[in-house]
Amino acid sequence: MTGSASELARRLGDHAEAVCREYLPNGHRSGNYWMVGDVRNTRGRSMHVRLKTSTKGPAGKWVDEATSEFGDLLDVIRESCGLVDFREVADEARRFLSMPLPLPQPPGAQRQPAAARGSPDAARRLFAMSHPIAGTLAERYLAGRGILLSTHERALRFHPGCYYRDLVTGETRTLPALIAAVTSLDGRITGLQRTYLSSGLDPSGKVGKAPVADPRRSLGHLLGNRIWLGQQSGAPVMAAGEGFETMASLRTVMPALPLAAATSANHLAGLIFPPGCRRLYIAADADAAGRHGIERLSQRAGEAGILALVLRPQLGDFNDDLRHLGPAHLAVWLSDQLVPEDARLFLPPE
């Protein structure tokens, strides 16, 4: 028994209907085919999966008549689960087939399928698999944090079954996730951040983070890039900070101000400034790593001729302020920290 793609695809084809029921549950059987909307498990009938080998071809092959896409059941697993490289797809296929995982490779051995792991290409592929946040758990999660954003925010997506691997036990599963794109100055996706969500409600009746060791993970090329909220370049005034929820909280009360979340203190320190920026507000967090990031970014901004001003929360961070004090109080708190012309431009009138 081998773990090659062709062997795994053949084994999955031997159980084609069971695979479809597991990974394409929005479809149904019709004769010798499983009918569904597309390989991402959308409702509909344009895609059909052959369930038994016949003169037309082997079991497990599929075609989407609407898009002319085609493939095998490994593609179904990849797309429906939101996996981002072959090793993950193969592990999920083996789990389904109850096959043993491959033995660890010796040090120095080439692992070609894992080469794309964590790459910008993997990030772009996962982002493309995801959906707009309107009406999803991601939108409800943000609302539960007091964050009210336009559903047209280009950086944000939702994936209902994003791959999660426990780094201690090696256990893998799929979880719903808020997906935030990390982009370069030219708008190209270089990475992303996944916030894994609980599929149920917490005791307060809100959607919370998934009960896992690290519910927020990033991949791709992050240094110098950012999660953009609002206008991406050319604005003379902008704000930047470490965390996505910190910056999204500021966007809730200042929706016209371009904002950038750097995903970590080290990445904040290395943020690349957009051309034309002349004033930069830096959102502070309370921890020591955050202070280092602010100091380094302020120094670099000064060297680039950009005025850097620090915005400080009243509580632990700006999401705490938004949730516990409310948007009106947060706006008043910020008004004394902004340059007067920026306060008039970006804050709601009193």
Side-chain angles (χ1 to χ4, degrees):
M1 182 184 300
T2 71
S4 68
S6 59
E7 174 65 10
L8 285 173
R10 186 192 65 76
R11 289 291 305 274
L12 291 169
D14 291 340
H15 308 277
E17 183 171 352
V19 173
C20 291
R21 292 188 182 279
E22 175 75 12
Y23 298 101
L24 300 173
N26 284 331
H28 64 278
R29 178 165 184 164
S30 177
N32 191 33
Y33 293 94
W34 188 264
M35 312 296 292
V36 69
D38 58 35
V39 71
R40 298 162 193 85
N41 193 35
T42 302
R43 294 185 183 278
R45 294 178 55 85
S46 64
M47 172 179 160
H48 55 268
V49 185
R50 190 178 299 112
L51 300 180
K52 294 182 180 180
T53 298
S54 69
T55 55
K56 296 182 179 180
K61 295 293 185 178
W62 59 268
V63 174
D64 189 328
E65 301 290 354
T67 65
S68 298
E69 292 178 284
F70 61 92
D72 59 30
L73 293 175
L74 287 173
D75 300 314
V76 168
I77 290 176
R78 183 191 67 232
E79 296 292 329
S80 64
C81 294
L83 308 182
V84 295
D85 65 45
F86 175 75
R87 185 173 65 181
E88 295 174 341
V89 176
D91 285 353
E92 175 63 19
R94 292 187 187 97
R95 183 203 64 78
F96 177 84
L97 294 167
S98 298
M99 293 170 62
L101 295 176
L103 294 174
Q105 291 183 310
Q110 290 188 340
R111 299 173 63 179
Q112 185 65 30
R117 190 178 184 87
S119 69
D121 284 341
R124 287 188 282 269
R125 188 163 60 247
L126 180 53
F127 191 78
M129 292 177 185
S130 305
H131 314 291
I133 67 170
T136 69
L137 283 175
E139 185 180 42
R140 293 178 63 186
Y141 167 76
L142 292 174
R145 307 288 294 175
I147 297 170
L148 302 177
L149 301 178
S150 167
T151 55
H152 301 295
E153 287 283 0
R154 296 175 59 187
L156 303 183
R157 291 287 187 94
F158 171 71
H159 198 293
C162 194
Y163 189 84
Y164 178 86
R165 181 190 297 272
D166 188 303
L167 300 180
V168 175
T169 66
E171 177 189 0
T172 59
R173 52 176 160 158
T174 57
L175 296 168
L178 168 65
I179 306 294
V182 176
T183 55
S184 57
L185 288 179
D186 61 4
R188 185 169 175 78
I189 294 176
T190 64
L192 53 79
Q193 185 177 77
R194 296 155 292 181
T195 301
Y196 291 96
L197 306 176
S198 173
S199 57
L201 302 180
D202 63 20
S204 65
K206 299 173 182 177
V207 175
K209 295 185 182 71
V212 293
D214 46 350
R216 184 167 286 136
R217 288 182 177 174
S218 300
L219 65 87
H221 293 171
L222 309 179
L223 185 61
N225 303 313
R226 73 282 285 155
I227 300 169
W228 274 111
L229 297 172
Q231 183 178 346
Q232 294 199 24
S233 62
V237 182
M238 64 170 289
E242 177 181 343
F244 164 72
E245 290 183 17
T246 288
M247 303 315 295
S249 298
L250 290 177
R251 184 155 178 77
T252 298
V253 297
M254 297 188 291
L257 178 64
L259 300 166
T263 72
S264 76
N266 287 335
H267 293 142
L268 178 63
L271 194 71
I272 297 175
F273 307 116
C277 179
R278 56 182 174 81
R279 191 154 55 249
L280 172 68
Y281 291 101
I282 307 175
D285 285 332
D287 56 44
R291 289 194 294 273
H292 170 75
I294 290 170
E295 291 169 1
R296 179 62 183 138
L297 184 61
S298 297
Q299 178 184 352
R300 291 182 53 245
E303 293 168 353
I306 298 171
L307 175 63
L309 302 167
V310 178
L311 300 178
R312 301 192 182 280
Q314 191 167 357
L315 303 176
D317 59 41
F318 283 111
N319 189 245
D320 288 340
D321 286 9
L322 180 64
R323 289 186 295 120
H324 298 298
L325 304 177
H329 186 105
L330 176 55
V332 172
W333 179 257
L334 290 168
S335 65
D336 293 332
Q337 302 184 61
L338 298 176
V339 171
E341 65 179 276
D342 293 338
R344 290 192 295 270
L345 182 62
F346 297 118
L347 288 173
E350 297 182 8

